[in-house]
Amino acid sequence: MDKLQIPVFDSSDDFHEAIDFPHRSHIPNFDVYAIDNLEPTVRRCMPPYKQRFYQIALLSDVGESKLNLNTDWLDLEEYPLWFVVPGQVVSWVRDKEMKGYHIMFKKEFLSNVAPNLIEEFPFLKMSENNVLMLTEKEHESLYFDSQRIHSVYKNPHPYQEKMLEGMLLSFLYFCKAVYERHKSTENNLSRAQIITQKFENLVDKMYVETKNVSEYAEQLNITPNYLTTMVKN
């Protein structure tokens, strides 16, 4: 039997064409828009696909929307902040009342200020939890930043790209602080429990195409033997 062919979108423009969204970005490797602009033309559900760019969604109204990452339906609570990273299999159901912002970018957009993107912002790794629940204050702060980013994007300026580069970097550092707050709960877990948890996250996201233990170990920066020992414990 032939393997199921999952479409892969190279850019946000390619993705928007597939979902019938007329918006196109005027800035290479970067895009941002208000989610309520998706109405009324954009499709309400999307079958599995992959993308070659990062995507951040900050939601203010979820409605009945659902997000699936690698066959795992994610729980979107009151103040969700979620990330899609290159290589993940994504599908979704979008409620027409869904509101918030989408920010999309490729690593090249931040190459001058964050050349080691994944090392600096580990929440963008495949092995990490891709949904963070915000406090009300965290949500208010990030929502304000999203509005400012969107405003700068919509208004041409001689230094527009440089401004957006700095604003996105600041946004990601705020996300990193939220991520570290969530990670602090792991302080009570053993090394084996932490590795097992990350391994299970990876399996959920990669098992469709990845069966080899060595590939999971590489993602976790440990040896296959060590991974096997930790999981068995």
Side-chain angles (χ1 to χ4, degrees):
M1 182 188 301
D2 291 339
K3 204 172 197 178
L4 178 65
Q5 293 297 310
I6 298 175
V8 181
F9 302 113
D10 184 65
S11 68
S12 60
D13 284 353
D14 294 338
F15 172 66
H16 294 151
E17 182 177 358
I19 64 173
D20 302 320
F21 186 30
H23 168 82
R24 299 293 182 269
S25 179
H26 61 280
I27 297 179
N29 300 317
F30 181 84
D31 201 0
V32 58
Y33 56 87
I35 294 173
D36 53 3
N37 289 338
L38 296 174
E39 286 295 320
T41 63
V42 174
R43 58 194 305 172
R44 293 282 176 79
C45 64
M46 187 68 175
Y49 64 91
K50 293 183 179 182
Q51 58 193 46
R52 294 195 176 102
F53 52 90
Y54 295 92
Q55 180 178 357
I56 305 172
L58 178 67
L59 305 182
S60 59
D61 193 339
V62 176
E64 299 298 321
S65 301
K66 297 179 181 178
L67 174 68
N68 188 301
L69 292 180
N70 299 79
T71 73
D72 183 22
W73 288 103
L74 302 182
D75 185 17
L76 302 179
E77 298 178 12
E78 190 173 5
Y79 299 117
L81 172 69
W82 54 260
F83 309 91
V84 177
V85 304
Q88 289 179 324
V89 178
V90 190
S91 61
W92 42 259
V93 177
R94 181 180 63 83
D95 190 299
K96 68 178 182 179
E97 300 301 326
M98 183 176 175
K99 293 182 176 61
Y101 287 92
H102 276 161
I103 299 174
M104 300 172 170
F105 65 97
K106 286 192 170 185
K107 64 180 181 179
E108 289 81 4
F109 186 71
L110 294 175
S111 60
N112 292 327
V113 293
N116 300 312
L117 184 69
I118 301 301
E119 288 75 11
E120 188 64 28
F121 303 109
F123 53 88
L124 296 177
K125 291 181 178 179
M126 286 274 286
S127 59
E128 296 300 321
N129 183 1
N130 295 112
V131 177
L132 300 177
M133 296 306 165
L134 304 172
T135 65
E136 186 174 359
K137 287 187 177 180
E138 288 169 341
H139 182 269
E140 287 177 359
S141 181
L142 283 176
Y143 204 81
F144 176 75
D145 288 345
S146 298
Q147 290 175 317
R148 289 181 62 244
I149 291 172
H150 190 224
S151 176
V152 170
Y153 174 86
K154 291 192 303 179
N155 295 284
H157 186 281
Y159 300 104
Q160 184 182 50
E161 289 190 36
K162 286 293 185 183
M163 292 168 67
L164 290 170
E165 182 183 86
M167 295 170 80
L168 176 58
L169 188 68
S170 175
F171 189 97
L172 290 174
Y173 273 117
F174 195 107
C175 293
K176 186 175 182 177
V178 175
Y179 164 79
E180 289 174 347
R181 175 176 64 79
H182 281 260
K183 294 294 284 185
S184 66
T185 61
E186 291 185 351
N187 290 340
N188 296 324
L189 300 179
S190 68
R191 171 71 170 163
Q193 288 173 317
I194 293 172
I195 290 176
T196 299
Q197 187 178 83
K198 289 185 176 183
F199 172 67
E200 289 173 348
N201 284 340
L202 278 177
V203 171
D204 285 342
K205 298 169 185 175
M206 299 172 60
Y207 82 93
V208 174
E209 296 181 345
T210 304
K211 311 294 184 185
N212 196 320
V213 172
S214 63
E215 294 184 54
Y216 291 108
E218 183 179 356
Q219 289 283 335
L220 295 169
N221 295 315
I222 57 178
T223 66
N225 287 341
Y226 188 67
L227 173 57
T228 301
T229 300
M230 291 295 99
V231 171
K232 284 182 178 178
N233 289 339

